[in-house]
Amino acid sequence: MRPSEKPTAPHASRWSGKLLAPGDAVRHWWDRLSRVQKWGFGIIAFGLLAFLPLFPPPFLTTPNISFGGTMAQFAMVAIIAIGLNVVVGQAGLLDLGYVGFYAVGAYTVALLTSPNSPWNRMGPTGWLHEDWAWLACVPLAMAITALSGLILGTPTLRLRGDYLAIVTLGFGEIIRLMADNLSEVTNGPRGLNEVAYPRVGASERLPDGVFSSGNSAGDTNYGTWWFWLGIVLMVIILVMVGNLERSRVGRAWIAIREDEDAAEVMGVNAFRFKLWAFVIGAAIGGLSGALYAGQVQFVAPPTFNIINSMLFLCAVVLGGQGNKLGVVAGAFVIVYLPNRLLGVEFLGINLGDLKYLFFGLALVMLMIFRPQGLFPARQQLLAYSKAARDLLRSPEKESAR
């Protein structure tokens, strides 16, 4: 070591010399990996995550509720968070009514497959067979939610900031109120039950398959199977969104988020790229709604209230806006904490009933001490930024020798 060189702390920032927070340390370590190494670690991480319901650590279990069901709910909310991150984290559009797209996806599946629906298309008179009805409705749910995002976004995305937030908030409430009041179609507050689900793995013990609610015993219960399906869909969406982030579309989103006026001056069609983000986010929300409808097999308006929309946004803010893996971690916190505290009493108070208090306190503390989230995004505007940085640093290394 040369006399002019100073030793650095294990997690010290190269640029500021300050100690990094755990989230920053993980992010800097991840950024230094090559693309092949990231894929390798990602496959290992998601593989271990898939085995979590089968071998849950004692400190991570949920004693008063099925851990497999909790993980299935986590996968569903994680997909929602990834879609909302495209809208809020990447494009910088404050969407407070994202639960509306979630509701559209769920009701699309329910209206086409529930026997309580006048639009039911299952059975001998319909064109959906019960074995593959849910699978056929998933792309339909995504297409219809994408269309609803296009219809909503076309007249409203010229608004910015608080005005856009109010419009999207109204959209979410309109969808819920329509579902609550159109009794002849949606069955009103009574909801739609017996929604279709994948008919896979039928046996003498499980005549309706492994995804049915009848598979409620053991570690490989129906919640675990829904979690595995959610993990597969989550990986596919992460790959697609990651490719978008590294493309011209992703760079345009970042430019719009940072300064829309400057982006337009530089030739970026802000409205078109914002509409792209809105439609893509809506389609992902519709996919998650289809997952919810098949898993619960019951769809009713109270599920799609404004509180749930705020919780989805909370997952994005907690994890780190713009970081697609960070929002997955935020979704885990949002789902796991209430289920872990369910039935736990302290001074005669059920801590599971105080989840909104805990989330509120967590957001306040986060905004004070870490406003960028637990895992803040480090955007790379250049498609080959790592190679460019290494190339620029090489003359410095040569001159230092």
Side-chain angles (χ1 to χ4, degrees), residues 272-304:
R272 184 179 68 181
F273 285 108
K274 288 194 297 184
L275 193 58
W276 265 104
F278 218 67
V279 171
I280 292 171
I284 297 174
L287 171 62
S288 187
L291 275 176
Y292 169 78
Q295 180 184 344
V296 181
Q297 299 167 33
F298 175 73
V299 176
T303 307
F304 311 105

PDB file of all heavy atoms in Angstrom, residues 272-304:
ATOM      1  N   ARG A 272     -46.348   9.980 -24.726  1.00  0.00           N
ATOM      2  CA  ARG A 272     -46.369   8.614 -25.258  1.00  0.00           C
ATOM      3  C   ARG A 272     -45.699   7.643 -24.303  1.00  0.00           C
ATOM      4  O   ARG A 272     -46.232   6.547 -24.042  1.00  0.00           O
ATOM      5  CB  ARG A 272     -45.671   8.561 -26.607  1.00  0.00           C
ATOM      6  CG  ARG A 272     -45.746   7.194 -27.275  1.00  0.00           C
ATOM      7  CD  ARG A 272     -45.071   7.194 -28.629  1.00  0.00           C
ATOM      8  NE  ARG A 272     -43.627   7.364 -28.505  1.00  0.00           N
ATOM      9  CZ  ARG A 272     -42.793   7.417 -29.544  1.00  0.00           C
ATOM     10  NH1 ARG A 272     -43.283   7.350 -30.775  1.00  0.00           N
ATOM     11  NH2 ARG A 272     -41.506   7.553 -29.360  1.00  0.00           N
ATOM     12  N   PHE A 273     -44.549   8.016 -23.728  1.00  0.00           N
ATOM     13  CA  PHE A 273     -43.850   7.099 -22.837  1.00  0.00           C
ATOM     14  C   PHE A 273     -44.560   6.978 -21.491  1.00  0.00           C
ATOM     15  O   PHE A 273     -44.524   5.906 -20.866  1.00  0.00           O
ATOM     16  CB  PHE A 273     -42.398   7.566 -22.644  1.00  0.00           C
ATOM     17  CG  PHE A 273     -41.524   7.292 -23.835  1.00  0.00           C
ATOM     18  CD1 PHE A 273     -41.095   8.314 -24.664  1.00  0.00           C
ATOM     19  CD2 PHE A 273     -41.138   5.990 -24.138  1.00  0.00           C
ATOM     20  CE1 PHE A 273     -40.299   8.057 -25.762  1.00  0.00           C
ATOM     21  CE2 PHE A 273     -40.339   5.721 -25.239  1.00  0.00           C
ATOM     22  CZ  PHE A 273     -39.919   6.753 -26.055  1.00  0.00           C
ATOM     23  N   LYS A 274     -45.203   8.027 -21.029  1.00  0.00           N
ATOM     24  CA  LYS A 274     -46.011   7.908 -19.811  1.00  0.00           C
ATOM     25  C   LYS A 274     -47.190   6.979 -20.040  1.00  0.00           C
ATOM     26  O   LYS A 274     -47.557   6.185 -19.154  1.00  0.00           O
ATOM     27  CB  LYS A 274     -46.490   9.289 -19.359  1.00  0.00           C
ATOM     28  CG  LYS A 274     -45.405  10.173 -18.782  1.00  0.00           C
ATOM     29  CD  LYS A 274     -45.969  11.374 -18.038  1.00  0.00           C
ATOM     30  CE  LYS A 274     -46.739  12.305 -18.921  1.00  0.00           C
ATOM     31  NZ  LYS A 274     -47.199  13.508 -18.191  1.00  0.00           N
ATOM     32  N   LEU A 275     -47.774   7.054 -21.219  1.00  0.00           N
ATOM     33  CA  LEU A 275     -48.894   6.170 -21.538  1.00  0.00           C
ATOM     34  C   LEU A 275     -48.425   4.719 -21.610  1.00  0.00           C
ATOM     35  O   LEU A 275     -49.129   3.800 -21.169  1.00  0.00           O
ATOM     36  CB  LEU A 275     -49.533   6.593 -22.858  1.00  0.00           C
ATOM     37  CG  LEU A 275     -50.890   5.975 -23.200  1.00  0.00           C
ATOM     38  CD1 LEU A 275     -51.909   6.293 -22.116  1.00  0.00           C
ATOM     39  CD2 LEU A 275     -51.376   6.474 -24.554  1.00  0.00           C
ATOM     40  N   TRP A 276     -47.215   4.497 -22.134  1.00  0.00           N
ATOM     41  CA  TRP A 276     -46.637   3.157 -22.149  1.00  0.00           C
ATOM     42  C   TRP A 276     -46.529   2.622 -20.730  1.00  0.00           C
ATOM     43  O   TRP A 276     -46.897   1.474 -20.450  1.00  0.00           O
ATOM     44  CB  TRP A 276     -45.252   3.194 -22.800  1.00  0.00           C
ATOM     45  CG  TRP A 276     -45.232   2.868 -24.259  1.00  0.00           C
ATOM     46  CD1 TRP A 276     -45.092   3.731 -25.294  1.00  0.00           C
ATOM     47  CD2 TRP A 276     -45.359   1.577 -24.849  1.00  0.00           C
ATOM     48  NE1 TRP A 276     -45.119   3.065 -26.496  1.00  0.00           N
ATOM     49  CE2 TRP A 276     -45.275   1.737 -26.253  1.00  0.00           C
ATOM     50  CE3 TRP A 276     -45.525   0.297 -24.333  1.00  0.00           C
ATOM     51  CZ2 TRP A 276     -45.360   0.667 -27.138  1.00  0.00           C
ATOM     52  CZ3 TRP A 276     -45.612  -0.775 -25.212  1.00  0.00           C
ATOM     53  CH2 TRP A 276     -45.530  -0.578 -26.598  1.00  0.00           C
ATOM     54  N   ALA A 277     -46.001   3.437 -19.822  1.00  0.00           N
ATOM     55  CA  ALA A 277     -45.840   3.005 -18.428  1.00  0.00           C
ATOM     56  C   ALA A 277     -47.186   2.693 -17.797  1.00  0.00           C
ATOM     57  O   ALA A 277     -47.339   1.701 -17.072  1.00  0.00           O
ATOM     58  CB  ALA A 277     -45.110   4.089 -17.627  1.00  0.00           C
ATOM     59  N   PHE A 278     -48.169   3.522 -18.074  1.00  0.00           N
ATOM     60  CA  PHE A 278     -49.493   3.335 -17.492  1.00  0.00           C
ATOM     61  C   PHE A 278     -50.130   2.038 -17.981  1.00  0.00           C
ATOM     62  O   PHE A 278     -50.713   1.283 -17.188  1.00  0.00           O
ATOM     63  CB  PHE A 278     -50.369   4.535 -17.857  1.00  0.00           C
ATOM     64  CG  PHE A 278     -51.294   4.975 -16.769  1.00  0.00           C
ATOM     65  CD1 PHE A 278     -50.793   5.517 -15.599  1.00  0.00           C
ATOM     66  CD2 PHE A 278     -52.659   4.844 -16.902  1.00  0.00           C
ATOM     67  CE1 PHE A 278     -51.639   5.937 -14.586  1.00  0.00           C
ATOM     68  CE2 PHE A 278     -53.521   5.247 -15.902  1.00  0.00           C
ATOM     69  CZ  PHE A 278     -53.011   5.798 -14.735  1.00  0.00           C
ATOM     70  N   VAL A 279     -50.013   1.769 -19.258  1.00  0.00           N
ATOM     71  CA  VAL A 279     -50.627   0.566 -19.835  1.00  0.00           C
ATOM     72  C   VAL A 279     -49.913  -0.689 -19.340  1.00  0.00           C
ATOM     73  O   VAL A 279     -50.554  -1.690 -18.978  1.00  0.00           O
ATOM     74  CB  VAL A 279     -50.605   0.649 -21.368  1.00  0.00           C
ATOM     75  CG1 VAL A 279     -51.025  -0.675 -21.994  1.00  0.00           C
ATOM     76  CG2 VAL A 279     -51.530   1.765 -21.843  1.00  0.00           C
ATOM     77  N   ILE A 280     -48.580  -0.660 -19.317  1.00  0.00           N
ATOM     78  CA  ILE A 280     -47.826  -1.822 -18.846  1.00  0.00           C
ATOM     79  C   ILE A 280     -48.110  -2.085 -17.370  1.00  0.00           C
ATOM     80  O   ILE A 280     -48.332  -3.233 -16.954  1.00  0.00           O
ATOM     81  CB  ILE A 280     -46.321  -1.605 -19.089  1.00  0.00           C
ATOM     82  CG1 ILE A 280     -46.026  -1.605 -20.592  1.00  0.00           C
ATOM     83  CG2 ILE A 280     -45.487  -2.679 -18.378  1.00  0.00           C
ATOM     84  CD1 ILE A 280     -44.619  -1.182 -20.942  1.00  0.00           C
ATOM     85  N   GLY A 281     -48.115  -1.029 -16.561  1.00  0.00           N
ATOM     86  CA  GLY A 281     -48.435  -1.192 -15.149  1.00  0.00           C
ATOM     87  C   GLY A 281     -49.840  -1.724 -14.940  1.00  0.00           C
ATOM     88  O   GLY A 281     -50.080  -2.562 -14.060  1.00  0.00           O
ATOM     89  N   ALA A 282     -50.789  -1.260 -15.744  1.00  0.00           N
ATOM     90  CA  ALA A 282     -52.170  -1.744 -15.631  1.00  0.00           C
ATOM     91  C   ALA A 282     -52.263  -3.225 -15.963  1.00  0.00           C
ATOM     92  O   ALA A 282     -52.963  -3.988 -15.277  1.00  0.00           O
ATOM     93  CB  ALA A 282     -53.079  -0.934 -16.553  1.00  0.00           C
ATOM     94  N   ALA A 283     -51.562  -3.670 -17.002  1.00  0.00           N
ATOM     95  CA  ALA A 283     -51.604  -5.085 -17.381  1.00  0.00           C
ATOM     96  C   ALA A 283     -51.042  -5.968 -16.271  1.00  0.00           C
ATOM     97  O   ALA A 283     -51.594  -7.039 -15.973  1.00  0.00           O
ATOM     98  CB  ALA A 283     -50.830  -5.295 -18.678  1.00  0.00           C
ATOM     99  N   ILE A 284     -49.955  -5.534 -15.637  1.00  0.00           N
ATOM    100  CA  ILE A 284     -49.381  -6.317 -14.535  1.00  0.00           C
ATOM    101  C   ILE A 284     -50.344  -6.345 -13.346  1.00  0.00           C
ATOM    102  O   ILE A 284     -50.497  -7.373 -12.678  1.00  0.00           O
ATOM    103  CB  ILE A 284     -48.012  -5.734 -14.132  1.00  0.00           C
ATOM    104  CG1 ILE A 284     -47.030  -5.849 -15.299  1.00  0.00           C
ATOM    105  CG2 ILE A 284     -47.455  -6.454 -12.909  1.00  0.00           C
ATOM    106  CD1 ILE A 284     -45.692  -5.184 -15.050  1.00  0.00           C
ATOM    107  N   GLY A 285     -51.007  -5.225 -13.073  1.00  0.00           N
ATOM    108  CA  GLY A 285     -52.012  -5.204 -12.024  1.00  0.00           C
ATOM    109  C   GLY A 285     -53.170  -6.142 -12.319  1.00  0.00           C
ATOM    110  O   GLY A 285     -53.702  -6.803 -11.420  1.00  0.00           O
ATOM    111  N   GLY A 286     -53.582  -6.223 -13.582  1.00  0.00           N
ATOM    112  CA  GLY A 286     -54.637  -7.149 -13.959  1.00  0.00           C
ATOM    113  C   GLY A 286     -54.234  -8.599 -13.774  1.00  0.00           C
ATOM    114  O   GLY A 286     -55.050  -9.442 -13.375  1.00  0.00           O
ATOM    115  N   LEU A 287     -52.962  -8.911 -14.040  1.00  0.00           N
ATOM    116  CA  LEU A 287     -52.463 -10.269 -13.802  1.00  0.00           C
ATOM    117  C   LEU A 287     -52.561 -10.634 -12.328  1.00  0.00           C
ATOM    118  O   LEU A 287     -52.998 -11.739 -11.969  1.00  0.00           O
ATOM    119  CB  LEU A 287     -51.017 -10.372 -14.280  1.00  0.00           C
ATOM    120  CG  LEU A 287     -50.272 -11.660 -13.914  1.00  0.00           C
ATOM    121  CD1 LEU A 287     -50.952 -12.872 -14.537  1.00  0.00           C
ATOM    122  CD2 LEU A 287     -48.811 -11.580 -14.352  1.00  0.00           C
ATOM    123  N   SER A 288     -52.177  -9.719 -11.470  1.00  0.00           N
ATOM    124  CA  SER A 288     -52.266  -9.986 -10.040  1.00  0.00           C
ATOM    125  C   SER A 288     -53.718 -10.138  -9.585  1.00  0.00           C
ATOM    126  O   SER A 288     -54.031 -10.975  -8.730  1.00  0.00           O
ATOM    127  CB  SER A 288     -51.586  -8.856  -9.253  1.00  0.00           C
ATOM    128  OG  SER A 288     -51.508  -9.164  -7.889  1.00  0.00           O
ATOM    129  N   GLY A 289     -54.620  -9.342 -10.162  1.00  0.00           N
ATOM    130  CA  GLY A 289     -56.034  -9.501  -9.847  1.00  0.00           C
ATOM    131  C   GLY A 289     -56.564 -10.867 -10.260  1.00  0.00           C
ATOM    132  O   GLY A 289     -57.375 -11.479  -9.546  1.00  0.00           O
ATOM    133  N   ALA A 290     -56.109 -11.377 -11.400  1.00  0.00           N
ATOM    134  CA  ALA A 290     -56.508 -12.718 -11.831  1.00  0.00           C
ATOM    135  C   ALA A 290     -55.989 -13.775 -10.871  1.00  0.00           C
ATOM    136  O   ALA A 290     -56.677 -14.761 -10.571  1.00  0.00           O
ATOM    137  CB  ALA A 290     -55.999 -12.986 -13.246  1.00  0.00           C
ATOM    138  N   LEU A 291     -54.757 -13.583 -10.368  1.00  0.00           N
ATOM    139  CA  LEU A 291     -54.214 -14.493  -9.364  1.00  0.00           C
ATOM    140  C   LEU A 291     -55.068 -14.479  -8.101  1.00  0.00           C
ATOM    141  O   LEU A 291     -55.371 -15.534  -7.523  1.00  0.00           O
ATOM    142  CB  LEU A 291     -52.779 -14.092  -9.013  1.00  0.00           C
ATOM    143  CG  LEU A 291     -51.650 -14.610  -9.891  1.00  0.00           C
ATOM    144  CD1 LEU A 291     -50.331 -14.017  -9.440  1.00  0.00           C
ATOM    145  CD2 LEU A 291     -51.584 -16.125  -9.848  1.00  0.00           C
ATOM    146  N   TYR A 292     -55.455 -13.289  -7.671  1.00  0.00           N
ATOM    147  CA  TYR A 292     -56.275 -13.176  -6.464  1.00  0.00           C
ATOM    148  C   TYR A 292     -57.622 -13.877  -6.642  1.00  0.00           C
ATOM    149  O   TYR A 292     -58.067 -14.628  -5.765  1.00  0.00           O
ATOM    150  CB  TYR A 292     -56.498 -11.702  -6.127  1.00  0.00           C
ATOM    151  CG  TYR A 292     -57.548 -11.478  -5.065  1.00  0.00           C
ATOM    152  CD1 TYR A 292     -57.253 -11.673  -3.724  1.00  0.00           C
ATOM    153  CD2 TYR A 292     -58.845 -11.098  -5.414  1.00  0.00           C
ATOM    154  CE1 TYR A 292     -58.222 -11.486  -2.746  1.00  0.00           C
ATOM    155  CE2 TYR A 292     -59.823 -10.910  -4.449  1.00  0.00           C
ATOM    156  CZ  TYR A 292     -59.500 -11.105  -3.116  1.00  0.00           C
ATOM    157  OH  TYR A 292     -60.459 -10.932  -2.161  1.00  0.00           O
ATOM    158  N   ALA A 293     -58.274 -13.644  -7.777  1.00  0.00           N
ATOM    159  CA  ALA A 293     -59.594 -14.241  -8.012  1.00  0.00           C
ATOM    160  C   ALA A 293     -59.518 -15.761  -8.012  1.00  0.00           C
ATOM    161  O   ALA A 293     -60.380 -16.437  -7.427  1.00  0.00           O
ATOM    162  CB  ALA A 293     -60.168 -13.737  -9.334  1.00  0.00           C
ATOM    163  N   GLY A 294     -58.476 -16.330  -8.644  1.00  0.00           N
ATOM    164  CA  GLY A 294     -58.355 -17.779  -8.675  1.00  0.00           C
ATOM    165  C   GLY A 294     -57.987 -18.365  -7.328  1.00  0.00           C
ATOM    166  O   GLY A 294     -58.465 -19.435  -6.955  1.00  0.00           O
ATOM    167  N   GLN A 295     -57.150 -17.664  -6.581  1.00  0.00           N
ATOM    168  CA  GLN A 295     -56.706 -18.190  -5.293  1.00  0.00           C
ATOM    169  C   GLN A 295     -57.822 -18.155  -4.250  1.00  0.00           C
ATOM    170  O   GLN A 295     -58.066 -19.136  -3.556  1.00  0.00           O
ATOM    171  CB  GLN A 295     -55.511 -17.383  -4.791  1.00  0.00           C
ATOM    172  CG  GLN A 295     -54.978 -17.843  -3.450  1.00  0.00           C
ATOM    173  CD  GLN A 295     -53.857 -16.956  -2.945  1.00  0.00           C
ATOM    174  OE1 GLN A 295     -53.272 -16.182  -3.695  1.00  0.00           O
ATOM    175  NE2 GLN A 295     -53.552 -17.060  -1.670  1.00  0.00           N
ATOM    176  N   VAL A 296     -58.509 -17.035  -4.125  1.00  0.00           N
ATOM    177  CA  VAL A 296     -59.555 -16.885  -3.118  1.00  0.00           C
ATOM    178  C   VAL A 296     -60.873 -17.485  -3.606  1.00  0.00           C
ATOM    179  O   VAL A 296     -61.712 -17.903  -2.808  1.00  0.00           O
ATOM    180  CB  VAL A 296     -59.729 -15.390  -2.755  1.00  0.00           C
ATOM    181  CG1 VAL A 296     -60.792 -15.193  -1.706  1.00  0.00           C
ATOM    182  CG2 VAL A 296     -58.401 -14.827  -2.256  1.00  0.00           C
ATOM    183  N   GLN A 297     -61.075 -17.521  -4.916  1.00  0.00           N
ATOM    184  CA  GLN A 297     -62.299 -18.028  -5.541  1.00  0.00           C
ATOM    185  C   GLN A 297     -63.541 -17.234  -5.115  1.00  0.00           C
ATOM    186  O   GLN A 297     -64.653 -17.753  -5.115  1.00  0.00           O
ATOM    187  CB  GLN A 297     -62.477 -19.521  -5.228  1.00  0.00           C
ATOM    188  CG  GLN A 297     -61.343 -20.376  -5.748  1.00  0.00           C
ATOM    189  CD  GLN A 297     -61.340 -21.782  -5.203  1.00  0.00           C
ATOM    190  OE1 GLN A 297     -62.405 -22.343  -4.946  1.00  0.00           O
ATOM    191  NE2 GLN A 297     -60.164 -22.350  -5.001  1.00  0.00           N
ATOM    192  N   PHE A 298     -63.300 -15.988  -4.748  1.00  0.00           N
ATOM    193  CA  PHE A 298     -64.395 -15.105  -4.346  1.00  0.00           C
ATOM    194  C   PHE A 298     -63.946 -13.671  -4.555  1.00  0.00           C
ATOM    195  O   PHE A 298     -62.850 -13.290  -4.131  1.00  0.00           O
ATOM    196  CB  PHE A 298     -64.776 -15.341  -2.884  1.00  0.00           C
ATOM    197  CG  PHE A 298     -65.820 -14.390  -2.366  1.00  0.00           C
ATOM    198  CD1 PHE A 298     -67.142 -14.513  -2.762  1.00  0.00           C
ATOM    199  CD2 PHE A 298     -65.480 -13.363  -1.504  1.00  0.00           C
ATOM    200  CE1 PHE A 298     -68.119 -13.634  -2.285  1.00  0.00           C
ATOM    201  CE2 PHE A 298     -66.434 -12.481  -1.019  1.00  0.00           C
ATOM    202  CZ  PHE A 298     -67.757 -12.620  -1.411  1.00  0.00           C
ATOM    203  N   VAL A 299     -64.777 -12.869  -5.193  1.00  0.00           N
ATOM    204  CA  VAL A 299     -64.441 -11.474  -5.482  1.00  0.00           C
ATOM    205  C   VAL A 299     -65.582 -10.603  -4.997  1.00  0.00           C
ATOM    206  O   VAL A 299     -66.746 -10.827  -5.360  1.00  0.00           O
ATOM    207  CB  VAL A 299     -64.203 -11.258  -6.994  1.00  0.00           C
ATOM    208  CG1 VAL A 299     -63.940  -9.790  -7.290  1.00  0.00           C
ATOM    209  CG2 VAL A 299     -63.041 -12.113  -7.474  1.00  0.00           C
ATOM    210  N   ALA A 300     -65.258  -9.598  -4.172  1.00  0.00           N
ATOM    211  CA  ALA A 300     -66.265  -8.680  -3.630  1.00  0.00           C
ATOM    212  C   ALA A 300     -65.669  -7.282  -3.552  1.00  0.00           C
ATOM    213  O   ALA A 300     -64.447  -7.119  -3.399  1.00  0.00           O
ATOM    214  CB  ALA A 300     -66.734  -9.146  -2.246  1.00  0.00           C
ATOM    215  N   PRO A 301     -66.493  -6.234  -3.628  1.00  0.00           N
ATOM    216  CA  PRO A 301     -65.991  -4.849  -3.661  1.00  0.00           C
ATOM    217  C   PRO A 301     -65.130  -4.417  -2.477  1.00  0.00           C
ATOM    218  O   PRO A 301     -64.175  -3.653  -2.674  1.00  0.00           O
ATOM    219  CB  PRO A 301     -67.272  -4.007  -3.744  1.00  0.00           C
ATOM    220  CG  PRO A 301     -68.287  -4.916  -4.338  1.00  0.00           C
ATOM    221  CD  PRO A 301     -67.948  -6.284  -3.844  1.00  0.00           C
ATOM    222  N   PRO A 302     -65.413  -4.832  -1.212  1.00  0.00           N
ATOM    223  CA  PRO A 302     -64.598  -4.320  -0.096  1.00  0.00           C
ATOM    224  C   PRO A 302     -63.111  -4.609  -0.214  1.00  0.00           C
ATOM    225  O   PRO A 302     -62.298  -3.904   0.397  1.00  0.00           O
ATOM    226  CB  PRO A 302     -65.203  -5.039   1.131  1.00  0.00           C
ATOM    227  CG  PRO A 302     -66.605  -5.343   0.737  1.00  0.00           C
ATOM    228  CD  PRO A 302     -66.541  -5.652  -0.721  1.00  0.00           C
ATOM    229  N   THR A 303     -62.737  -5.632  -0.983  1.00  0.00           N
ATOM    230  CA  THR A 303     -61.318  -5.951  -1.140  1.00  0.00           C
ATOM    231  C   THR A 303     -60.556  -4.838  -1.847  1.00  0.00           C
ATOM    232  O   THR A 303     -59.358  -4.659  -1.618  1.00  0.00           O
ATOM    233  CB  THR A 303     -61.169  -7.260  -1.940  1.00  0.00           C
ATOM    234  OG1 THR A 303     -61.946  -8.276  -1.324  1.00  0.00           O
ATOM    235  CG2 THR A 303     -59.718  -7.697  -2.011  1.00  0.00           C
ATOM    236  N   PHE A 304     -61.235  -4.059  -2.667  1.00  0.00           N
ATOM    237  CA  PHE A 304     -60.563  -3.101  -3.538  1.00  0.00           C
ATOM    238  C   PHE A 304     -60.759  -1.665  -3.040  1.00  0.00           C
ATOM    239  O   PHE A 304     -61.041  -0.759  -3.826  1.00  0.00           O
ATOM    240  CB  PHE A 304     -61.082  -3.268  -4.965  1.00  0.00           C
ATOM    241  CG  PHE A 304     -61.072  -4.698  -5.417  1.00  0.00           C
ATOM    242  CD1 PHE A 304     -62.254  -5.428  -5.500  1.00  0.00           C
ATOM    243  CD2 PHE A 304     -59.885  -5.332  -5.718  1.00  0.00           C
ATOM    244  CE1 PHE A 304     -62.258  -6.751  -5.895  1.00  0.00           C
ATOM    245  CE2 PHE A 304     -59.878  -6.664  -6.116  1.00  0.00           C
ATOM    246  CZ  PHE A 304     -61.060  -7.371  -6.204  1.00  0.00           C
TER     247      PHE A 304
END
